[in-house]
Structure formats: C-alpha cells, structure tokens
Amino acid sequence: MNLVLLGMRGIAGSMLWMQASEQKEMKNWSELEQTTESIIKLQPRFLPVWRFQGWNLAYNVSAECDAVEDRFFWVKQGTKLMRRGTNQNEDASPLYHDSGTLCGKKMGRSDEHKQFRRYFKVDPDPRWEGGADEVINPEGKDNYLVAKDFYTIANDKELLPWVEQHIMARM
C-alpha cells in the first residue's frame, strides 16, 4: 500500500480520518471499523490512531447503543483495538496507560459499571461459554486488576531509556 501511495500516505490518512468522523456521525459502525482498519494499515506506528480510535469505540460508539450488552460489545472492541496497538507498538507506554484507563474507568466507573464488571469476567456473548473474552481478559481477573497490570507495564515501559512519554508523572 505504501508503494502505491508514492508518498501520499499522510494525505490518504487525513482523508480516512475525515471519513471515519463522518461515519461516526452517520452511525455507520461497520464502515467505521473498516475505515479504522485502513488508517491502522497506513499508520501503524502513529499512536494517536490507536489511542483515539480505541477511545472513540469505547466511549462514543458505545454510548449510541441502547442495550447494555451492545454497549459492552463496543467497549470491548475499543479495548481490543488498544490491545492490538500495544502488541504492535510494544514500547509505547501511553497505549498501555490508555488500555488501563479503558479497563479501569470505562468498565469500572461508567453508568453501567455493575453490568460491565460482571461481563468483563463472564462475557454475555455465547462464544465465550460463560467465561471472559481471552483477548481483553485472558486470566478472568477483575477489571481493576487488569487495569493495574496495564498501568504497571506502562510504568515499566516508561523507564526504558529510548522511550519518551508525556502523559504520566514519574511519581
């Protein structure tokens, strides 16, 4: 894809960002996911792609749904996107921090926190057969413990000499 764009990757990425914003406004969720995937393919090391789109799915898209299970699905999609971002950008402490924020704050403090915390350990999707979704909760822990794990990893990554971060205080 990079070869075909011949140096126009930034322009193509900007156009896709605008398209994603329009799709969110029009509530075209499946198209939004596809556009997000295209942005990720164009800019896999650009952290705002992962941070904003994960947050967008977890907070904005989930708020558009009526059923709590549907809201949880989109929070889970945002969390999975952040998780993929941490896998592709292993030294990016802000992505680990944001993943911890999604697990801790969105799962544990939102209006639906009672249901979300229960679904975090026992997913309502029948594919998980009464267990947790392995992508976001492989050990079946409480959401706050998973958030703590992400924050701990973020602190460890921040100590690497080649990593520069701007969101976490050293203390």
Side-chain angles (χ1 to χ4, degrees):
M1 184 180 265
N2 289 335
L3 184 61
V4 172
L5 290 173
L6 298 173
M8 302 291 277
R9 195 170 70 176
I11 294 170
S14 295
M15 292 178 69
L16 286 171
W17 276 84
M18 290 187 303
Q19 187 177 8
S21 180
E22 289 174 17
Q23 290 165 343
K24 186 187 88 159
E25 296 298 320
M26 299 299 290
K27 301 179 183 180
N28 293 331
W29 309 132
S30 60
E31 291 177 21
L32 175 62
E33 274 193 302
Q34 292 170 358
T35 304
T36 300
E37 288 298 321
S38 297
I39 295 169
I40 289 169
K41 285 183 179 147
L42 277 174
Q43 302 172 318
R45 300 285 295 168
F46 186 53
L47 298 186
V49 173
W50 301 101
R51 297 179 75 195
F52 176 77
Q53 295 299 344
W55 175 84
N56 190 35
L57 291 173
Y59 282 86
N60 293 334
V61 175
S62 70
E64 297 291 332
C65 298
D66 292 329
V68 176
E69 291 84 8
D70 294 338
R71 288 182 188 171
F72 181 74
F73 171 80
W74 286 108
V75 172
K76 198 167 67 165
Q77 291 300 100
T79 306
K80 285 180 179 183
L81 185 69
M82 293 294 292
R83 187 74 180 147
R84 280 182 43 214
T86 60
N87 290 338
Q88 281 196 265
N89 302 283
E90 293 180 1
D91 292 341
S93 60
L95 290 179
Y96 287 96
H97 180 271
D98 291 346
S99 295
T101 299
L102 283 180
C103 289
K105 290 182 180 175
K106 185 61 180 173
M107 298 283 186
R109 292 186 185 169
S110 64
D111 292 340
E112 307 86 2
H113 70 277
K114 290 180 183 176
Q115 293 92 339
F116 283 1
R117 291 190 71 203
R118 183 173 60 241
Y119 294 161
F120 193 75
K121 292 197 286 188
V122 180
D123 200 297
D125 190 331
R127 289 181 292 172
W128 307 117
E129 299 174 354
D133 184 336
E134 293 98 17
V135 176
I136 63 169
N137 191 6
E139 298 173 19
K141 294 180 179 180
D142 183 67
N143 65 298
Y144 287 120
L145 294 175
V146 173
K148 179 185 175 213
D149 292 344
F150 278 120
Y151 288 138
T152 302
I153 294 169
N155 285 338
D156 292 343
K157 298 289 181 185
E158 192 269 329
L159 291 174
L160 298 173
W162 60 87
V163 173
E164 184 177 333
Q165 63 85 27
H166 304 281
I167 63 167
M168 298 181 295
R170 183 67 237 138
M171 62 200 87

